[in-house]
Amino acid sequence: MDTRSVARFVEDAEHQAMAHRLYTLVFPMNKQDGKVLLGMKKRGFGRDKFNGFGGKVEAKETIAEGAARELAEESELVAKSMKQCGLLLFYFENDPVAMEVHVFLVHEYEGTEAESDEMRPQWFDIHDLPFKLMWADDSLWWPYVLKGQKFVGQFWFKANQATIARQKLGAVESLDFV
């Protein structure tokens, strides 16, 4: 397992034994206007869904560095400060690799959002997200973001990648596992 992974602190032995890939998910926030920037995924995994900005963490970067890089690549925004608010673990039926996703909020950034090859950015009211056009788990953990609570979630998806077969989700005091 990747030494940057923290999944071992929340998973049972069966899931700890799985291969894991590290990902990030970044949500730029405009607190003054009560808005969050989402991106419509234009290609690849999650195509035609709104989501935060993010992707795979590269081998020689920290998780936070990966989050900042992905945000810049996909939206042209440069994070000035990021705070991790959640950890999501996804298991897909018939896929031997778990996704370990580190969720960040960005309240300070530079630049103006712009469309990339991968994402089309759009601002939404933080209380009125397009959940029908998002991953099925998003509506379950987003309330923790609104309350300012840190959270850990585990979601087991059916092979269709739309149906949640099982879940564990809850608030945590800290995301500092080591």
Side-chain angles (χ1 to χ4, degrees):
M1 185 178 286
D2 189 314
T3 57
R4 298 168 296 174
S5 173
V6 295
R8 66 189 175 278
F9 295 104
V10 297
E11 291 180 316
D12 59 30
E14 174 191 355
H15 292 93
Q16 286 178 23
M18 293 178 71
H20 287 68
R21 283 198 190 109
L22 295 177
Y23 294 87
T24 62
L25 196 52
V26 184
F27 294 90
M29 307 285 282
N30 183 325
K31 275 183 143 176
Q32 192 172 23
D33 294 337
K35 303 276 186 184
V36 60
L37 187 65
L38 301 179
M40 172 56 78
K41 188 81 169 49
K42 294 165 48 176
R43 60 182 167 89
F45 186 73
R47 182 179 177 192
D48 297 327
K49 291 184 186 303
F50 277 108
N51 205 352
F53 301 88
K56 294 180 189 126
V57 178
E58 294 179 359
K60 295 189 180 198
E61 63 188 359
T62 67
I63 292 167
E65 288 169 344
R69 175 186 51 75
E70 287 284 350
L71 176 65
E73 287 176 4
E74 294 181 349
S75 73
E76 295 192 16
L77 294 180
V78 176
K80 301 314 282 175
S81 70
M82 289 188 307
K83 293 197 180 197
Q84 187 171 4
C85 63
L87 173 67
L88 298 169
L89 296 155
F90 297 105
Y91 315 98
F92 292 91
E93 192 173 70
N94 302 323
D95 187 343
V97 181
M99 294 177 68
E100 177 179 331
V101 181
H102 295 259
V103 184
F104 293 86
L105 299 180
V106 175
H107 293 286
E108 295 177 41
Y109 48 86
E110 289 181 347
T112 303
E113 71 279 356
E115 187 167 342
S116 67
D117 289 345
E118 195 169 346
M119 300 284 260
R120 180 180 46 80
Q122 185 174 335
W123 289 98
F124 291 92
D125 184 286
I126 61 170
H127 298 288
D128 191 23
L129 298 188
F131 290 120
K132 290 183 179 178
L133 298 173
M134 298 172 73
W135 285 96
D137 62 284
D138 293 348
S139 65
L140 302 174
W141 57 261
W142 186 252
Y144 291 93
V145 172
L146 294 177
K147 293 178 199 168
Q149 295 178 311
K150 293 179 173 134
F151 59 91
V152 172
Q154 292 176 270
F155 296 91
W156 290 262
F157 276 84
K158 294 283 192 180
N160 66 13
Q161 298 181 348
T163 305
I164 298 172
R166 191 172 106 194
Q167 69 186 48
K168 285 168 81 175
L169 177 63
V172 294
E173 289 295 317
S174 173
L175 293 165
D176 296 324
F177 295 102
V178 289

